[in-house]
Amino acid sequence: MQPILKAHSIFKKFNDLIAVNNLSFEVYKGEIFGFLGPNGAGKTTSIKIMCGLLKPDGGKIEILGNHKGNSIGICPQHIVIWDNLTCLEQLTFMGKMHSMNSADARKRGIELLESFGLIEKKAQLARTLSGGMQRRLNIALALIHSPEILFLDEPQAGLDPQSRVLVRDYIRNIKSKITVVLTTHDMEEAEKLSDRICIIDRGQILKSGTTEEIKKSCGEEDLLELDIQGNIRTELIQYLAQDASNHTIISENSASFKITDSFSILESILHEIKTRNIKVDNLKLRKKSLEDIFINLTGRSLRE
């Protein structure tokens, strides 16, 4: 695959806080590249450096190919609109700022309003829209000039479920024409949207690759989650011996088991549950998620 962006040992410090700590990675043309991490992990600082809004203290960003300034589109984490312009006027004005003529900017603006379900609001002042609609308009503003690289900082923050699906589908549909770099602390969003993911925390890359590559590199166990009525350590785990050696106590009555031989461990657990007449509130067998991997790497939740 052909790289369109390269980061070489990016470093950024704010007073005593190291926000970005020698990050190096490549983004390939036509892919969706996701930065996944909790608030304060360094995602927004990294994306600001990538799109030229912030100068790094060390390292460099390389945008490959013959690109002009208009080849980059940016949708910031916080909504930015003009209070006294309608939705269509916002898009037309932004297009003209990117050297488009009025007619082309208006035509493109109408296309984007239709794509983001805002066409009925074209003559409405943007400040009167709901927060979710303003978020969709902000993404449209970043796309008005058809950039080659689109930077999205928490693009689905504040969106209702229907809008999340609309935005997700639109981003998927444009990826053949536009390379997308996005940040998120939402594991589900990262898995559904990104071709490759970079898990970042405290300014450092913990893991990167496709979702499957990341999961495989951290072991291929399934997770069995179990809640019982009673103390799980004394009621159940002490009787499982070898089978229970690879487990995490979540609370007094909850545990999570990492298992590779699902039927064997499940059979042992069900046997002990039946033999000891333990009352079960919940039993769930599932595949490992990116959230599980992050917690395993850092000991804390993505949302912390």
Side-chain angles (χ1 to χ4, degrees):
M1 297 177 70
Q2 180 183 355
I4 194 171
L5 182 150
K6 287 186 177 182
H8 303 273
S9 301
I10 305 171
F11 181 84
K12 186 65 182 179
K13 186 176 181 181
F14 298 102
N15 297 321
D16 294 330
L17 174 67
I18 298 176
V20 180
N21 194 358
N22 292 314
L23 295 191
S24 296
F25 56 87
E26 294 182 351
V27 178
Y28 300 131
K29 187 173 182 179
E31 78 168 340
I32 301 174
F33 186 82
F35 268 83
L36 175 66
N39 295 328
K43 305 186 303 296
T44 295
T45 301
S46 298
I47 210 168
K48 283 182 177 179
I49 292 172
M50 280 185 264
C51 60
L53 293 177
L54 191 63
K55 185 177 180 180
D57 296 322
K60 67 175 183 177
I61 292 290
E62 188 178 4
I63 305 259
L64 305 177
N66 299 317
H67 303 286
K68 301 177 181 178
N70 283 348
S71 66
I72 290 176
I74 306 167
C75 179
Q77 183 174 354
H78 301 291
I79 293 171
V80 180
I81 56 174
W82 292 275
D83 285 348
N84 297 316
L85 295 181
T86 68
C87 293
L88 184 55
E89 287 171 343
Q90 307 254 345
L91 289 160
T92 303
F93 178 60
M94 181 64 82
K96 292 171 74 173
M97 289 178 67
H98 284 285
S99 303
M100 299 173 69
N101 63 52
S102 295
D104 288 344
R106 180 181 173 83
K107 180 182 178 182
R108 173 69 172 154
I110 289 173
E111 290 174 357
L112 288 168
L113 289 173
E114 288 176 341
S115 296
F116 284 100
L118 296 171
I119 192 62
E120 294 181 358
K121 308 292 184 181
K122 69 176 182 179
Q124 187 171 323
L125 291 178
R127 62 181 167 84
T128 67
L129 299 179
S130 68
M133 288 182 177
Q134 289 181 357
R135 171 65 63 184
R136 282 184 268 160
L137 178 62
N138 251 199
I139 297 173
L141 287 168
L143 287 160
I144 186 67
H145 57 301
S146 300
E148 293 180 62
I149 308 176
L150 176 64
F151 293 97
L152 301 173
D153 195 3
E154 301 283 357
Q156 295 190 324
L159 293 181
D160 58 84
Q162 186 177 7
S163 295
R164 289 168 73 92
V165 172
L166 186 152
V167 169
R168 186 187 302 142
D169 288 346
Y170 185 85
I171 293 173
R172 278 195 192 123
N173 289 335
I174 65 172
K175 78 169 190 173
S176 60
K177 301 175 183 177
I178 300 176
T179 302
V180 180
V181 179
L182 61 89
T183 72
T184 182
H185 60 257
D186 188 309
M187 175 272 298
E188 181 182 9
E189 179 184 337
E191 281 200 87
K192 289 184 176 179
L193 262 178
S194 306
D195 296 305
R196 287 191 304 131
I197 293 169
C198 177
I199 299 179
I200 181 174
D201 189 34
R202 295 184 173 92
Q204 294 183 305
I205 294 174
L206 304 181
K207 291 284 181 180
S208 63
T210 66
T211 300
E212 291 307 312
E213 286 171 347
I214 291 173
K215 289 179 179 178
K216 192 171 183 179
S217 71
C218 295
E220 300 188 47
E221 308 103 333
D222 293 331
L223 290 179
L224 176 65
E225 297 173 343
L226 182 66
D227 300 331
I228 69 168
Q229 295 179 16
N231 188 309
I232 200 161
R233 191 186 300 276
T234 57
E235 296 279 347
L236 179 61
I237 289 180
Q238 65 176 312
Y239 300 107
L240 291 176
Q242 188 88 26
D243 291 334
S245 61
N246 198 11
H247 70 273
T248 301
I249 302 293
I250 299 170
S251 67
E252 182 181 271
N253 61 352
S254 299
S256 175
F257 298 86
K258 296 177 184 177
I259 54 178
T260 51
D261 186 357
S262 302
F263 291 107
S264 176
I265 182 63
L266 190 56
E267 183 179 7
S268 297
I269 289 175
L270 291 176
H271 174 74
E272 294 298 334
I273 286 171
K274 183 177 180 180
T275 300
R276 304 183 188 286
N277 196 28
I278 297 170
K279 298 193 181 306
V280 176
D281 288 330
N282 177 58
L283 190 151
K284 180 168 66 175
L285 181 64
R286 63 176 178 84
K287 295 291 184 183
K288 187 184 297 182
S289 70
L290 291 178
E291 180 93 11
D292 299 317
I293 291 170
F294 186 86
I295 291 172
N296 186 55
L297 291 170
T298 68
R300 62 198 186 105
S301 167
L302 277 168
R303 296 186 179 275
E304 290 179 9

